[in-house]
Amino acid sequence: MWKAIRIIILMMILVKAVQQSYAESMDLGWQKKFYVAVYPINAERSRTPAHAEVNAHIKSLKDEDFEEITTFFSKQAQEYNLGLGRPIEVMLGDSIAFAPPAPPNPDSTAQVMLWSVGFRFYSWMFAPSTEVEPDIKLYLVYHDPETNPSLGFSTALEKGRIGRINVYGERFYHQKNLVVIAHELLHTLKASDKYDMDNNMPSFPDGFAEPKKTPLYPQRYTELMGGRLPIAIDEAQMPENLAETIIGYKTAKEIGWI
């Protein structure tokens, strides 16, 4: 009996995935805006000072705190004459009690596939209702900066248009959090990373905001999928906010703006 139930559940997931994949394949004509729901999650252990600090930050969040992402995409879309005033609309959803599964070792294809299915199932089960049904769901996993001086990699899937994003649960880090969220959001729309995975340096020329600038360094802006602002041939730094970033030509082409 349990075997039959498991088969039925797997078939339901497969059918849902096929339906979703078809809908996603029709979306990147940009005939309409994408609605993005962001769901805050407290990553810290309950009944600890860190949990209380992060919880207070999550409770302080408002829709307006994510408006900068919407504004950023609106301005960038104008640069490519997209024709949509607000191609991305970000909505703050209710907080969720526990985080989606963390991604496994990328070297194990089987584990990655199982994780992907598990994450998609999680997103179907845990998606509190928002004003508009979202096209993209981003799960913001908030950590305390005191107990987590560095964060694990964030990840987002084009299939299912979902993301698991590690961010800091303190107002001081909010602007940088928005940069990370916007970067992962673009992954759900087929944008690729444009930096060297070994050293996190932006790749030339696609990971540079101004690849034709003379002199090349320092760059004035960060290409969002390049991830960092190139200062010198061997130095780059995280942008402070979205105002210091742009969407470059190749990224715009990948997401259907060109």
Side-chain angles (χ1 to χ4, degrees), residues 186-250:
L186 279 179
H187 277 313
T188 71
L189 298 172
K190 298 188 176 183
S192 63
D193 282 321
K194 296 170 180 65
Y195 59 85
D196 189 320
M197 298 294 177
D198 292 329
N199 58 22
N200 291 327
M201 291 293 293
S203 302
F204 184 83
D206 298 323
F208 281 58
E210 302 171 299
K212 297 181 180 180
K213 178 177 175 291
T214 303
L216 185 60
Y217 302 101
Q219 291 276 296
R220 296 179 300 170
Y221 300 99
T222 302
E223 204 289 325
L224 186 55
M225 301 311 291
R228 285 169 171 75
L229 177 68
I231 303 299
I233 193 168
D234 57 354
E235 182 184 357
Q237 65 186 32
M238 179 81 178
E240 293 294 326
N241 51 55
L242 282 171
E244 296 182 1
T245 71
I246 70 160
I247 292 176
Y249 179 87
K250 185 173 182 180

Side-chain angles (χ1 to χ4, degrees), residues 129-140:
S129 61
T130 49
E131 185 176 348
V132 180
E133 183 176 355
D135 302 295
I136 300 169
K137 302 170 189 173
L138 301 179
Y139 297 90
L140 310 184

Side-chain angles (χ1 to χ4, degrees), residues 87-149:
I88 297 291
E89 198 78 48
V90 182
M91 308 173 292
L92 175 61
D94 291 338
S95 61
I96 297 174
F98 62 94
N105 186 328
D107 295 333
S108 173
T109 303
Q111 288 185 9
V112 170
M113 290 178 64
L114 286 173
W115 168 79
S116 175
V117 171
F119 187 13
R120 293 173 75 172
F121 183 70
Y122 171 98
S123 74
W124 297 328
M125 296 296 293
F126 298 97
S129 61
T130 49
E131 185 176 348
V132 180
E133 183 176 355
D135 302 295
I136 300 169
K137 302 170 189 173
L138 301 179
Y139 297 90
L140 310 184
V141 185
Y142 282 92
H143 301 261
D144 177 61
E146 293 295 324
T147 56
N148 298 273

Side-chain angles (χ1 to χ4, degrees), residues 5-17:
I5 292 174
R6 288 198 299 269
I7 292 173
I8 290 171
I9 292 173
L10 287 172
M11 289 298 295
M12 290 172 63
I13 292 174
L14 179 61
V15 170
K16 178 72 173 178

